[in-house]
């Protein structure tokens, strides 16, 4: 078909649609024909006989090639009304004629022009009205083949809340319920969909091929009826009242129904209720329910407040298995091992006839070698241990540990390992910071694995010595950035107070400080002019400093330690180099004796003792001012038995 012909046919078809639309408006004013269906049958009987037997085609019934000519679209916003534009006269438009005989093959009828020689009017506008296939209404005009406007979405406010309120109302009036939960003598109607949406337990029950999925009544075994009803209400409302008298039932039922949020809320509630009188019960309950977080918190609370816990009735009523778990812990906050033994004896005596048989097994958890010898001697004559062979063996093992100190490395066992709270705390005093001299003191607790600030020194100190004497912290000598000091401060951790002690006779920085058999020693150092080999001793009874024998070598930044009743001075600097020599002081002879040298030179060395050995850790191999100075990363051990 030529281009002009195709353009003409398109115009005629659009004209036809326009006439159709115009007659449709007239049609709306006619009464409905009794033989025509509501949806607009193919043959529309509502048109009058004057129409000449012609029927107008429903757009849905056109062949695909013709139906596609009229796109059903909404009118784009902002476009002018197409009906206001001039249109060709109806006499110029060819018409599709349909009869019952040729309905399958519609064809165009050429209609002669009303006036010969009429000039063709302007092009028909592209905006055309269209009629829906199942309605007598006419859609708004639109521009064919253009994209539709964007969709709009509506979101109802509080839709979920309102929906669940409606469901709660159904539950209250027992409407539309499709399942009944039976707990004890209580019958609880509910909706499977609501229960499944909240509880994983019910979701698995109702969505799988199990017997309960088909039952109208489901018996809930091991569930407290009131707790079940409260949790069913929670499924509809999201609200739950937690009280001391129902919290355990709610938690156990919520664990069964796998209501994780309820379990978490119940655990947090119980954490707030922890007290020395109930922490053991909450700890056991959490363990039985598999609530690991609650169990951990309750256990830590028990360990922290153990001295108060053992004075409550819950401790005396514990079974032997729970007592064993407590005694095996290293985390008890206790002042000494004697406290644990006394607590065990109190528990046994609460029901001695039944509990004596468990005594030897439980006594094995007590660190008997760490008890005082006098305490062990009293135990041997105790009526509870006297006739028990296993208990006697454990007491004898502890006595050997005290009687044969040289064999202690061979007598090590879990019972010789101290509990964390009995080893004391570690203090970090002063040091270098951004201001070149910190005055703060921090404390490390092995049991809690935490550093906490505890105090501040009265002034800045660098290269000072620190020692512990009579449970007090002594800070000795050092320098303040301008001058070398001889002053001494004493900090009492119990009262959290500082005391100023009598000063040393010599100003010293870079000194070593240690306590040997009561007195405290200040070893070597630098007085601001020269390296020192002198040693002073502090007598805590006389509260004064006295000189003792001097070392054979001047030593600053020296490491000192006490081992087997002797004071060791290790490494350091003598002014020209770092040292690898070692000497030891015997307080009974007031003499210094040379010892085997280290394999490396070490200034500023760290020194400690363990199991009868002396350890030298790190240090510089040359003065820090020397460009070749290097830090050592190796550790050496000294055995005094073989030197």
């Amino acid at each position: 078909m030529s281009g002009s012909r195709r353009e003409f046919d398109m115009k005629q078809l659009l004209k036809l649609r326009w006439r159709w639309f115009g007659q449709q408006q007239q049609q709306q004013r006619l009464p409905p024909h009794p033989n025509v269906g509501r949806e607009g049958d193919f043959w529309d009987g509502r048109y009058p006989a004057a129409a000449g037997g012609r029927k107008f085609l429903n757009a849905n019934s056109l062949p695909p090639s013709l139906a596609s000519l009229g796109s059903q679209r909404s009118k784009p916003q902002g476009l002018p009304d197409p009906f206001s534009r001039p249109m060709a006269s109806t006499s110029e438009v060819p018409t599709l004629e349909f009869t019952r005989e040729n309905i399958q093959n519609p064809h165009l009828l050429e209609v002669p022009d009303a006036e010969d020689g009429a000039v063709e009017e302007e092009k028909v506008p592209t905006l055309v009205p269209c009629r829906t296939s199942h309605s007598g209404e006419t859609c708004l005009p639109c521009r064919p083949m253009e994209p539709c406007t964007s969709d709009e979405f509506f979101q109802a406010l509080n839709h979920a809340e309102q929906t669940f309120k409606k469901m709660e109302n159904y539950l209250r009036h027992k409407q539309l319920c499709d399942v009944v939960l039976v707990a004890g003598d209580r019958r609880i109607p509910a909706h499977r969909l609501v229960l499944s949406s909240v509880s994983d337990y019910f979701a698995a029950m109702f969505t799988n091929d199990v017997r309960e999925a088909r039952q109208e009544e489901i018996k809930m075994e091991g569930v407290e009826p009131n707790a079940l009803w409260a949790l069913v209400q929670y499924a509809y409302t999201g609200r739950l009242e937690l009280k001391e008298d129902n919290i355990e039932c709610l938690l156990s039922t919520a664990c069964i129904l796998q209501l994780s949020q309820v379990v978490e809320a119940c655990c947090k509630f119980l954490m707030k209720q922890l007290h020395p009188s109930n922490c053991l019960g909450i700890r056991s309950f959490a363990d039985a329910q598999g609530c690991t977080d609650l169990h951990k918190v309750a256990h830590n609370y028990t360990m922290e407040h153990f001295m108060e816990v053992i004075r409550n009735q819950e401790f005396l009523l514990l079974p032997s298995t729970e007592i064993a778990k407590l005694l095996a812990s290293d985390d008890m906050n206790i002042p000494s091992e004697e406290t644990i033994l006394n607590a065990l004896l109190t528990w046994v005596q609460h029901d001695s006839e039944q509990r004596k048989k468990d005594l030897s097994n439980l006594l094995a958890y007590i660190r008997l070698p760490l008890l005082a010898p006098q305490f062990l001697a009293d135990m041997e004559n105790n009526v509870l241990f006297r006739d028990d062979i296993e208990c006697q063996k454990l007491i004898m093992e502890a006595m050997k540990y005290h009687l044969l100190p040289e064999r202690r490395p061979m007598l090590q066992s879990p019972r010789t390992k101290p509990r964390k709270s009995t080893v004391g705390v570690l203090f970090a005093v002063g040091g270098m910071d951004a201001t070149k001299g910190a005055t703060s003191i921090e404390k490390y607790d092995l049991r809690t694995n935490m550093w906490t600030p505890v105090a501040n020194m009265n002034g800045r100190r660098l290269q000072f010595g620190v020692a512990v004497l009579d449970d007090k912290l002594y800070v000795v000598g050092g320098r303040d950035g301008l001058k070398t000091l001889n002053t001494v401060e004493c900090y009492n951790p119990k009262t959290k107070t500082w005391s100023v002690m009598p000063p040393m006779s010599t100003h010293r920085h870079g000194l070593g400080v240690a306590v040997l058999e009561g007195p405290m020693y200040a070893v070597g150092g630098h007085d601001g002019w020269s390296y020192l080999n002198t040693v002073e001793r502090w007598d805590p009874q006389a509260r004064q400093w006295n000189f003792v024998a001097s070392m054979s070598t001047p030593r600053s930044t020296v490491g000192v330690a006490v081992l087997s009743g002797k004071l060791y001075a290790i490494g350091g600097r003598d002014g020209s180099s770092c040292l690898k020599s070692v000497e030891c002081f015997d307080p009974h002879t007031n003499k210094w004796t040379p010892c085997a040298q280290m394999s490396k030179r070490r200034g500023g060395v760290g020194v400690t003792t363990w199991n009868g050995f002396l350890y030298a850790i790190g240090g510089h191999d040359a003065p820090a001012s020397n460009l070749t100075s290097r830090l050592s990363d190796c550790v050496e051990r000294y055995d005094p038995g073989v030197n």
Side-chain angles (χ1 to χ4, degrees):
M1 182 184 294
S2 64
S4 61
R5 179 65 176 173
R6 184 166 51 250
E7 182 179 355
F8 175 79
D9 290 345
M10 179 62 72
K11 290 180 179 179
Q12 302 295 9
L13 286 173
L14 294 176
K15 205 69 161 181
L16 170 65
R17 293 179 65 85
W18 173 247
R19 290 179 56 191
W20 183 14
F21 173 75
Q23 294 194 26
Q24 184 67 20
Q25 290 181 325
Q26 298 176 6
Q27 198 178 311
Q28 293 175 356
R29 295 191 292 268
L30 295 177
H33 195 279
N35 297 325
V36 179
R38 294 181 59 188
E39 298 297 326
D41 295 335
F42 186 83
W43 298 99
D44 193 341
R46 290 183 296 177
Y47 289 94
R54 295 182 180 180
K55 305 298 179 181
F56 288 84
L57 184 62
N58 187 312
N60 269 0
S61 303
L62 286 173
S65 60
L66 297 178
S68 62
L69 294 176
S71 301
Q72 297 184 18
R73 299 171 183 258
S74 61
K75 173 185 175 181
Q77 294 180 357
L79 292 178
D81 188 348
F83 306 116
S84 62
R85 298 192 180 187
M87 300 291 289
S89 62
T90 57
S91 60
E92 296 176 297
V93 182
T95 307
L96 279 172
E97 183 175 27
F98 299 91
T99 63
R100 296 185 183 271
E101 290 76 15
N102 63 4
I103 186 60
Q104 299 299 327
N105 298 293
H107 59 277
L108 287 172
L109 294 179
E110 296 291 343
V111 180
D113 293 338
E115 297 179 6
D116 294 333
V119 180
E120 182 177 339
E121 294 182 12
E122 62 180 316
K123 296 182 179 180
V124 178
T126 57
L127 289 174
V128 295
C130 55
R131 181 185 178 195
T132 59
S133 59
H134 299 288
S135 172
E137 298 178 359
T138 303
C139 299
L140 291 175
C142 66
R143 191 179 301 274
M145 304 306 292
E146 288 187 0
C148 296
T149 56
S150 59
D151 295 336
E152 294 184 5
F153 295 93
F154 167 72
Q155 176 64 54
L157 298 177
N158 303 324
H159 176 73
E161 181 179 355
Q162 293 174 2
T163 302
F164 270 93
K165 282 184 178 179
K166 193 69 174 179
M167 293 181 182
E168 181 190 1
N169 188 55
Y170 289 144
L171 175 69
R172 188 178 296 111
H173 294 87
K174 299 181 180 179
Q175 294 176 326
L176 303 180
C177 297
D178 54 4
V179 68
V180 175
L181 305 179
V182 181
D185 57 354
R186 186 159 191 173
R187 298 166 59 82
I188 302 172
H191 303 87
R192 295 174 189 262
L193 179 61
V194 176
L195 298 180
S196 300
S197 65
V198 176
S199 166
D200 291 340
Y201 174 86
F202 285 120
M205 176 185 293
F206 296 142
T207 60
N208 288 286
D209 187 18
V210 295
R211 181 181 59 187
E212 289 80 1
R214 298 181 294 272
Q215 290 179 338
E216 294 184 0
E217 290 190 2
I218 298 174
K219 191 171 183 180
M220 305 294 294
E221 299 289 351
V223 174
E224 204 277 327
N226 292 332
L228 179 61
W229 169 238
L231 293 175
V232 168
Q233 288 182 302
Y234 163 80
Y236 288 81
T237 64
R239 297 188 302 273
L240 189 63
E241 184 180 9
L242 306 179
K243 299 184 294 186
E244 288 188 27
D245 58 352
N246 72 348
I247 190 67
E248 291 190 4
C249 293
L250 285 177
L251 178 54
S252 60
T253 306
C255 289
I256 294 174
L257 301 184
Q258 301 176 39
L259 297 170
S260 57
Q261 289 184 321
V262 176
V263 170
E264 183 179 356
C266 292
C267 288
K268 288 182 179 179
F269 180 87
L270 286 172
M271 290 176 191
K272 296 176 184 177
Q273 306 301 314
L274 284 170
H275 186 268
S277 62
N278 64 18
C279 59
L280 288 173
I282 293 176
R283 175 177 173 270
S284 298
F285 179 71
D287 188 29
Q289 298 299 326
C291 301
T292 55
D293 290 343
L294 177 60
H295 181 268
K296 181 180 179 181
V297 172
H299 176 78
N300 291 342
Y301 184 93
T302 302
M303 295 296 101
E304 177 68 27
H305 301 86
F306 191 76
M307 295 298 295
E308 303 167 64
V309 170
I310 59 179
R311 292 194 288 267
N312 283 276
Q313 188 74 6
E314 272 195 349
F315 178 77
L316 298 178
L317 298 179
L318 285 178
S320 60
T321 54
E322 290 298 315
I323 292 291
K325 291 179 182 179
L326 291 176
L327 298 182
S329 175
D330 288 335
D331 298 321
M332 294 182 191
N333 186 18
I334 55 171
S336 64
E337 194 68 22
E338 286 85 349
T339 304
I340 304 297
L341 179 59
N342 288 330
L344 173 61
L345 295 178
T346 302
W347 178 84
V348 172
Q349 291 168 354
H350 185 72
D351 188 4
S352 58
E353 293 299 324
Q354 296 295 326
R355 296 177 176 179
K356 281 179 63 175
K357 64 181 185 299
D358 300 316
L359 181 58
S360 60
N361 293 331
L362 297 175
L363 189 64
Y365 292 104
I366 305 296
R367 321 290 165 91
L368 293 180
L370 305 182
L371 300 178
Q374 298 87 347
F375 204 92
L376 291 171
D378 294 338
M379 283 182 62
E380 190 176 17
N381 298 321
N382 191 304
V383 64
L384 291 174
F385 307 120
R386 190 168 51 201
D387 299 328
D388 193 317
I389 297 177
E390 294 301 321
C391 291
Q392 288 294 320
K393 289 181 180 179
L394 292 171
I395 295 172
M396 187 59 63
E397 175 193 66
M399 287 183 172
K400 287 181 180 179
Y401 190 83
H402 286 280
L403 293 173
L404 304 170
E406 70 280 1
R407 296 187 183 180
R408 286 181 182 175
M410 297 178 290
L411 297 175
Q412 295 299 309
S413 71
R415 287 182 287 277
T416 61
K417 178 185 176 182
R419 301 183 198 270
K420 294 177 182 179
S421 63
T422 62
V423 299
V425 294
L426 178 67
F427 287 92
V429 184
M432 297 293 291
D433 63 4
T435 61
K436 297 186 177 180
T439 61
S440 61
I441 299 177
E442 295 183 58
K443 177 181 71 174
Y444 175 72
D445 189 334
L446 178 63
R447 187 180 62 84
T448 60
N449 191 31
M450 291 178 59
W451 285 94
T452 54
V454 293
N456 285 284
M457 294 184 290
N458 293 323
R460 188 173 73 163
R461 290 178 187 260
L462 303 171
Q463 294 183 295
F464 53 88
V466 179
V468 175
L469 177 61
D470 296 331
D471 294 328
K472 297 181 179 65
L473 187 68
Y474 284 77
V475 180
V476 183
R479 59 188 179 89
D480 60 6
L482 298 175
K483 62 183 182 297
T484 300
L485 306 173
N486 67 341
T487 56
V488 180
E489 295 181 75
C490 175
Y491 177 70
N492 188 336
K494 294 180 180 179
T495 63
K496 299 182 180 180
T497 57
W498 284 97
S499 302
V500 177
M501 308 301 292
M504 295 181 293
S505 302
T506 307
H507 294 70
R508 301 172 187 268
H509 71 262
L511 71 162
V513 179
V515 175
L516 173 60
E517 296 180 352
M520 178 172 61
Y521 293 80
V523 180
H526 195 282
D527 62 3
W529 301 97
S530 59
Y531 291 85
L532 304 174
N533 65 347
T534 59
V535 180
E536 294 184 63
R537 178 169 63 189
W538 165 255
D539 186 344
Q541 302 299 325
R543 293 179 60 83
Q544 63 182 15
W545 290 92
N546 298 302
F547 282 100
V548 296
S550 297
M551 295 180 291
S552 60
T553 305
R555 299 174 189 270
S556 180
T557 65
V558 60
V560 297
V562 172
L563 179 63
S564 301
K566 295 182 179 180
L567 178 67
Y568 287 81
I570 303 157
R573 294 165 51 193
D574 62 0
S576 60
S577 63
C578 289
L579 305 172
K580 58 182 178 180
S581 60
V582 180
E583 47 189 314
C584 69
F585 174 74
D586 188 339
H588 301 287
T589 62
N590 194 29
K591 291 182 179 179
W592 286 91
T593 305
C595 301
Q597 293 187 345
M598 295 181 291
S599 60
K600 292 182 178 291
R601 299 178 181 272
R602 299 175 187 268
V605 61
V607 181
T608 190
T609 60
W610 175 251
N611 276 346
F613 296 98
L614 185 67
Y615 291 84
I617 305 168
H620 292 271
D621 61 359
S625 58
N626 192 326
L627 296 179
T628 63
S629 175
R630 294 176 300 175
L631 282 170
S632 175
D633 59 356
C634 70
V635 179
E636 296 185 59
R637 185 177 73 176
Y638 173 71
D639 186 350
V642 297
N643 193 25

